[in-house]
Amino acid sequence: KPKANCLKFGCMSNHEIIAAARPNAEWWRTAVIYQIYPRSFADSNGDGIGDLPGVTARLESLASLGIDAIWFSPFFKSPQKDAGYDISDYKQIDPLFGTNEDLEVLLAKSKKLGIRIIVDIVPNHTSDQHAWFQEALAAPEGSAARDMYMFREGKGANGELPPNNWQSIFGGPAWTRITNTDGTPGQWYLHMFDSSQPDLNWDNPRVADEFDDILRFWLKKGVDGFRVDVAHGMIKRAGLPDATIYDENLRERSISNLTMAEAEEQVPYWGQPGVHDAIRRFRRVLDEFDDRAFCAEASMSPLPRLAMWVRPDEYHQAFNFDYMTTAYEPAALKKIITDSIVEYAKVGASSTWVMSNHDGIRHATRLGIAPEHTPRPGDGIHPTDPAPDEALGLRRARAATAFMLGLPGSSYLYQGEELGLPEAWQLEGKYRQDPTYARTNGKRIGRDGCRVPLPWEADATASNGFNTTGESWLPQPANYRAFARNLQEGVAGSTLELYKRLLKERKAFGMGSGEFRWAEEFQDKNTLAYINNGVLVIFNFGPDSVVVPAGEVLVTTQHDLTVERELEHDQVVWIKL
Ligand code: GLC
Ligand code: CA
């Protein structure tokens, strides 16, 4: 609040000035954004695949949860080789999920409920079924149609070797050789993901023009913003040199210990400096409209490198994957939170926080795995891996989330985590659909285990109310029944009620944009404590219980805390000071 002797706005931060002038502006800085994975949220027509009318019918449940916005994973026209991240028409909803009109209905209803909608845009690659790629295949080498993508001559005497050593994120080479229309072997095209996902050529101005048009198309329909897929991959280093660091799959996690210059040099397909021009161009289009926002999926480390992507004229925010993958341990958590707040603030951005998404292992299961057995993101838990401790995992997940939701900035939730849903890690091979599974012959089990449809009403159908037929594109494991939403609704101590309470108090105390500081005076070596807008948040990592200081308990992960006032291990409490 401005002090009396300040000039108007003189004592306010930029963020506060904008918020005071236009109350809706910069909503994304503090928003709790709920990720919907459309095929697994709710199915209206019983074909076993979630759809937009299914979401519309269940929107009230999200309003009662208390979220501010929804981010939808892609629902555009797609052959579904990578569950919709392979788009063949950016302006059409895939019939699997409904129609463009269904989205209008959803947008209208969500507006009434005060929920904003962010959609997923995939600029790094299209589907191989996209008209642009089909034209490119039919057109001769060197043509304008080929120049939309990354076609190159192969190496070797007869071009029989890929143009460089890059590997697909899903396993195997990142290049596929085409056959010319006359049957002879032709050029190679780059695909950082599946061979059905050719990478676009962002050095071609036509690509940028097309995306300006796609962004405007959805902005005019009233979407509130975009999550930008593989934002770190759009621009490749000129000349496409070999990557010079090698781990099993040349995957991005290996670069986290490098300096910026080393990373740009050694991993020539991620985080290239040329990307900032493309980002600024995106931003100019978005800024033609009021109150819209971008969130970048930029897998960049370390934080100062990622912060460059959210400078004032670039993306609004970026997922904080370093936070998501931080060890469950006080010193590490304290460092990443401090670094995030500090590094983003340097460029005028707010931090984001996230524990789960559709590419990882649900945190209710992940936190029940010993660090030395924790798979790499995207690899999934193999059925032969040691079984996670699911009770410990859930207890820790609730605590980690309660700690996260009190932090200033924007938080992302992944559908089902509000139910405490575990990973479906024992899915049989015959159900697996993630391209990673096929491309590595099952060696990396992939991401299907976090993508299983949600249980809504226990025993309503074989799919626990996901639809009325019991069909399910991935079968729910037997233990999902116990997590059904109706068994938790109104039940004190349930994970669902915990989330509702956290979101309510977070809003009531303005913690998304609060004054944050570490509260060393309430901390010992096994606890972390911070104060945000007069709320003290304590995380006890254990093993021993700690006595909770005086003050009203606003919310706690430990159901019986108010009686004993002893906070057990792996529990969190919010206290009004
Ligand atoms: C992103 C998505 C992931 C997808 C990949 C390729 O990482 O989150 O699900 O497979 O991009 O589009
Ligand atoms: Ca359906």
Side-chain angles (χ1 to χ4, degrees), residues 43 45 47 49-51 96:
D43 173 23
N45 63 354
D47 64 354
I49 299 179
D51 44 49
L96 207 54

Side-chain angles (χ1 to χ4, degrees), residues 422-454:
E423 181 85 355
W425 64 281
Q426 281 154 319
L427 274 180
E428 285 174 60
K430 65 177 178 189
Y431 296 118
R432 301 256 169 204
Q433 300 201 16
D434 182 352
T436 307
Y437 182 75
R439 289 183 65 90
T440 63
N441 293 319
K443 195 167 154 244
R444 287 165 52 201
I445 206 86
R447 303 160 292 174
D448 294 303
C450 67
R451 298 174 173 182
V452 170
L454 298 187

Side-chain angles (χ1 to χ4, degrees), residues 116-260:
R116 292 173 201 265
I117 304 288
I118 293 175
V119 300
D120 212 313
I121 193 86
V122 183
N124 180 69
H125 48 267
T126 69
S127 159
D128 61 352
Q129 299 307 307
H130 196 291
W132 303 334
F133 194 71
Q134 290 300 313
E135 278 162 30
L137 290 179
E141 289 178 18
S143 58
R146 287 253 172 126
D147 197 39
M148 290 291 283
Y149 293 89
M150 310 285 284
F151 282 91
R152 293 291 185 279
E153 300 302 323
K155 284 188 179 158
N158 301 305
E160 71 283 9
L161 299 172
N164 68 23
N165 71 350
W166 299 0
Q167 301 288 299
S168 156
I169 306 311
F170 295 156
W175 295 93
T176 292
R177 192 173 196 185
I178 64 164
T179 305
N180 292 322
T181 40
D182 65 3
T184 56
Q187 289 185 304
W188 297 70
Y189 68 88
L190 177 69
H191 52 87
M192 290 315 305
F193 295 88
D194 189 52
S195 57
S196 65
Q197 295 166 294
D199 278 49
L200 285 163
N201 172 19
W202 276 88
D203 291 330
N204 179 347
R206 200 188 132 202
V207 172
D209 289 345
E210 293 282 1
F211 274 86
D212 286 356
D213 189 47
I214 293 164
L215 294 181
R216 287 195 186 100
F217 178 86
W218 291 112
L219 288 165
K220 283 181 194 151
K221 297 252 181 249
V223 307
D224 294 286
F226 301 94
R227 176 260 190 190
V228 186
D229 188 63
V230 198
H232 50 287
M234 284 162 64
I235 307 288
K236 280 78 182 178
R237 195 177 184 85
L240 310 188
D242 279 352
T244 55
I245 55 167
Y246 189 82
D247 72 346
E248 195 193 349
N249 284 287
L250 292 174
R251 281 177 294 147
E252 71 263 43
R253 291 295 152 196
S254 58
I255 67 181
S256 49
N257 297 326
L258 304 180
T259 65
M260 286 186 214

Side-chain angles (χ1 to χ4, degrees), residues 208-409:
D209 289 345
E210 293 282 1
F211 274 86
D212 286 356
D213 189 47
I214 293 164
L215 294 181
R216 287 195 186 100
F217 178 86
W218 291 112
L219 288 165
K220 283 181 194 151
K221 297 252 181 249
V223 307
D224 294 286
F226 301 94
R227 176 260 190 190
V228 186
D229 188 63
V230 198
H232 50 287
M234 284 162 64
I235 307 288
K236 280 78 182 178
R237 195 177 184 85
L240 310 188
D242 279 352
T244 55
I245 55 167
Y246 189 82
D247 72 346
E248 195 193 349
N249 284 287
L250 292 174
R251 281 177 294 147
E252 71 263 43
R253 291 295 152 196
S254 58
I255 67 181
S256 49
N257 297 326
L258 304 180
T259 65
M260 286 186 214
E262 283 167 344
E264 282 163 25
E265 173 81 27
Q266 300 186 22
V267 190
Y269 46 82
W270 286 165
Q272 296 300 303
V275 79
H276 297 287
D277 291 337
I279 301 175
R280 292 192 181 103
R281 183 165 167 164
F282 272 4
R283 179 64 188 258
R284 284 196 294 274
V285 173
L286 198 91
D287 284 348
E288 295 166 10
F289 300 78
D290 275 345
D291 301 339
R292 316 295 169 99
F294 277 121
C295 180
E297 186 210 21
S299 292
M300 290 283 97
S301 261
L303 271 164
R305 193 164 175 232
L306 181 55
M308 293 176 65
W309 293 54
V310 291
R311 289 177 290 190
D313 58 347
E314 302 198 31
Y315 292 128
H316 298 80
Q317 55 192 34
F319 292 113
N320 195 339
F321 293 127
D322 282 356
Y323 173 76
M324 182 165 99
T325 53
T326 292
Y328 183 88
E329 182 260 303
L333 199 57
K334 185 169 190 179
K335 177 167 176 12
I336 186 70
I337 291 171
T338 306
D339 288 355
S340 301
I341 293 173
V342 169
E343 291 302 329
Y344 285 120
K346 283 184 191 163
V347 293
S350 48
S351 189
T352 65
W353 315 103
V354 60
M355 288 302 291
S356 282
N357 66 23
H358 67 295
D359 289 330
I361 296 167
R362 285 185 172 281
H363 68 291
T365 299
R366 191 176 75 231
L367 297 177
I369 305 175
E372 64 276 20
H373 293 304
T374 304
R376 309 174 69 142
D379 283 8
I381 304 172
H382 204 276
T384 58
D385 287 346
D389 180 339
E390 296 200 324
L392 180 66
L394 177 56
R395 181 181 177 118
R396 288 180 163 181
R398 288 162 49 109
T401 300
F403 201 67
M404 172 181 93
L405 286 174
L407 295 171

Side-chain angles (χ1 to χ4, degrees), residues 11-177:
C11 296
M12 297 167 91
S13 68
N14 279 347
H15 166 219
E16 288 167 326
I17 294 169
I18 294 169
R22 286 160 59 218
N24 282 338
E26 308 229 306
W27 56 273
W28 44 272
R29 282 185 187 266
T30 60
V32 173
I33 302 175
Y34 181 96
Q35 180 188 0
I36 288 189
Y37 197 65
R39 53 173 51 233
S40 300
F41 186 75
D43 173 23
S44 72
N45 63 354
D47 64 354
I49 299 179
D51 44 49
L52 295 183
V55 175
T56 302
R58 299 276 194 186
L59 268 185
E60 284 83 358
S61 66
L62 296 182
S64 75
L65 178 59
I67 56 149
D68 302 302
I70 294 170
W71 146 40
F72 277 95
S73 278
F75 41 43
F76 309 107
K77 194 139 194 297
S78 160
Q80 305 291 326
K81 291 279 170 52
D82 183 22
Y85 282 96
D86 50 320
I87 296 172
S88 56
D89 185 341
Y90 286 83
K91 294 182 183 169
Q92 283 295 322
I93 306 289
D94 194 286
L96 207 54
F97 301 124
T99 62
N100 284 29
E101 289 67 45
D102 289 332
L103 182 65
E104 311 239 346
V105 174
L106 194 158
L107 286 170
K109 183 167 174 186
S110 60
K111 199 170 209 108
K112 276 198 198 126
L113 292 171
I115 297 174
R116 292 173 201 265
I117 304 288
I118 293 175
V119 300
D120 212 313
I121 193 86
V122 183
N124 180 69
H125 48 267
T126 69
S127 159
D128 61 352
Q129 299 307 307
H130 196 291
W132 303 334
F133 194 71
Q134 290 300 313
E135 278 162 30
L137 290 179
E141 289 178 18
S143 58
R146 287 253 172 126
D147 197 39
M148 290 291 283
Y149 293 89
M150 310 285 284
F151 282 91
R152 293 291 185 279
E153 300 302 323
K155 284 188 179 158
N158 301 305
E160 71 283 9
L161 299 172
N164 68 23
N165 71 350
W166 299 0
Q167 301 288 299
S168 156
I169 306 311
F170 295 156
W175 295 93
T176 292
R177 192 173 196 185

